[in-house]
Amino acid sequence: QTGSANTNPSDSADDEYITNVSIGTPAQVLPLDFDTGSSDLWVFSSETPKSSASGHVTYSPSKSSTAKKLSGASWSITYGDHSSSSGDVYTDKVTVGGFSVSSQAVESATKVSTQFVQDTVISGLLGLGFDVGNTVKPRAQKTWFSNAANSLAQPLFTADLKHQQTGSYNFGFIDTTLAKGPIGYTPADGSEGYWGFTATGYSVGGAKLNRNSITGIADTGTTLLLLDDDVVNAYYNNVESAQYDDSQQGVVFDCSEDLPSFSFGVGGTTITIPGSLINLTPVSDGSSTCFGGLQSSADIGINIFGDVALKAALVVFDLGNERLGWAQK
Ligand SMILES: Cc1nn(C)c(C)c1CC(=O)Nc1ccccn1
């Protein structure tokens, strides 16, 4: 068995990717942010304060004949950008891309932070990280993919995110036609709940890869490519107008700049992010100053290959072999 779901950028800056998920009986369709950087499936619901839920599609367990309260269970999550949510837990049927898990832990939000209240294009997150990262107490719950894995043709999923176009999350199979180059595989470290891996080196503007390895995570739930300062500086030293903008909390440059590409080595292959994908968006509507898709990870303590990097590749999240595959697109 397999599943295949379309995913769409939430706005003109590709800030997030939205994937529709069916929950309950009859199906309640919610737009969720699939996040390989976390392991909770949580939703805005009938239990979310009305003022917070305003503008969001919500899940109502009372309207689902297959919903069951998970007695005594609660959850609470804080993301690296300090956004957060918490609540209680139901189990219900959850279908993604035509594949159903009959009893999936659906975490209902009774509290959500301002960032989520304001982000009305999504109704929650569907974690695709490792189960060890799930926050439900007293007993951690499995992710939708973990519950599905044993029934899928292969225990893996792929992410094919695109700039301003419809992409896909495929479960149980690899559609190699989505890629232009070979898939390079490298071990994945799931011990922290993330999909951790090590890139063997990097280069700017098509130069030969150096041998400075970069250890980080493949994170569909983070917009940017967040790397060490020495890498970020090596890149922006090639961008004439680049400067750090305090108010924007990042490097900005003239939108007219012809940005160099950024390449990294992984699993014996090279993934090249075209400069165009690193010109993320004007800092404000109509501005001729643009915000960089590559920014510093110095304040985070972990390197994050977010959507800016993932958009350049077909990425295979292979749970069965504890490995990540990257192919140029
Ligand atoms: C770890 C981290 N530090 N900083 C500054 C950022 C932006 C991150 C990544 C992050 O927070 N990702 C995220 C946020 C909300 C939902 C899902 N993923």
Side-chain angles (χ1 to χ4, degrees):
Q1 295 181 49
T2 62
S4 182
N6 284 344
T7 191
N8 289 291
S10 59
D11 59 22
S12 60
D14 299 343
D15 274 313
E16 293 170 312
Y17 286 81
I18 296 167
T19 310
N20 283 335
V21 175
S22 293
I23 306 177
T25 311
Q28 299 179 42
V29 179
L30 274 69
L32 300 184
D33 179 4
F34 283 22
D35 181 18
T36 57
S38 66
S39 309
D40 286 50
L41 193 176
W42 72 265
V43 295
F44 277 74
S45 72
S46 50
E47 299 177 329
T48 311
K50 293 286 168 289
S51 54
S52 298
S54 172
H56 291 264
V57 176
T58 55
Y59 165 62
S60 297
S62 63
K63 293 180 183 163
S64 169
S65 61
T66 40
K68 292 193 188 101
K69 185 92 177 349
L70 190 61
S71 172
S74 67
W75 60 281
S76 177
I77 194 164
T78 300
Y79 298 95
D81 65 358
H82 309 305
S83 60
S84 63
S85 51
S86 60
D88 52 23
V89 187
Y90 293 80
T91 58
D92 207 341
K93 178 181 177 184
V94 176
T95 303
V96 173
F99 187 93
S100 297
V101 167
S102 53
S103 183
Q104 172 63 40
V106 179
E107 300 169 33
S108 164
T110 57
K111 267 178 80 176
V112 288
S113 68
T114 312
Q115 298 102 311
F116 288 120
V117 170
Q118 292 170 345
D119 192 2
T120 53
V121 293
I122 58 163
S123 293
L125 269 69
L126 186 142
L128 291 170
F130 290 76
D131 290 342
V132 65
N134 181 264
T135 75
V136 175
K137 294 189 181 343
R139 273 183 301 285
Q141 299 297 301
K142 291 187 174 202
T143 68
W144 180 86
F145 171 63
S146 176
N147 281 319
N150 294 340
S151 308
L152 288 168
Q154 293 177 276
L156 60 79
F157 64 90
T158 66
D160 176 21
L161 304 184
K162 296 180 184 225
H163 171 60
Q164 293 298 288
Q165 294 172 79
T166 299
S168 68
Y169 283 99
N170 291 332
F171 296 91
F173 71 103
I174 301 171
D175 178 356
T176 52
T177 66
L178 298 175
K180 286 203 184 87
I183 302 173
Y185 286 100
T186 194
D189 169 9
S191 58
E192 301 294 315
Y194 308 123
W195 287 86
F197 73 102
T198 297
T200 50
Y202 67 90
S203 70
V204 178
K208 188 169 173 294
L209 290 179
N210 64 23
R211 302 221 180 133
N212 302 7
S213 65
I214 302 174
T215 296
I217 68 172
D219 184 359
T220 57
T222 293
T223 310
L224 304 176
L225 172 56
L226 300 163
L227 300 177
D228 291 335
D229 283 339
D230 51 333
V231 181
V232 174
N233 294 336
Y235 179 82
Y236 287 115
N237 284 344
N238 296 272
V239 180
E240 170 76 26
S241 62
Q243 55 183 335
Y244 187 84
D245 180 329
D246 255 331
S247 66
Q248 294 299 326
Q249 294 274 298
V251 178
V252 302
F253 41 77
D254 291 351
C255 297
S256 59
E257 290 260 17
D258 181 12
L259 294 175
S261 61
F262 179 83
S263 299
F264 57 96
V266 61
T269 192
T270 298
I271 301 299
T272 296
I273 305 170
S276 56
L277 287 183
I278 297 176
N279 182 340
L280 200 59
T281 185
V283 295
S284 302
D285 275 6
S287 169
S288 64
T289 301
C290 278
F291 190 78
L294 169 58
Q295 297 292 344
S296 169
S297 64
D299 301 348
I300 301 174
I302 182 173
N303 294 313
I304 303 181
F305 291 77
D307 300 337
V308 163
L310 300 170
K311 271 180 257 181
L314 172 68
V315 186
V316 183
F317 294 80
D318 183 344
L319 182 64
N321 296 297
E322 289 255 345
R323 64 182 185 173
L324 270 171
W326 293 78
Q328 185 72 39
K329 251 175 1 206

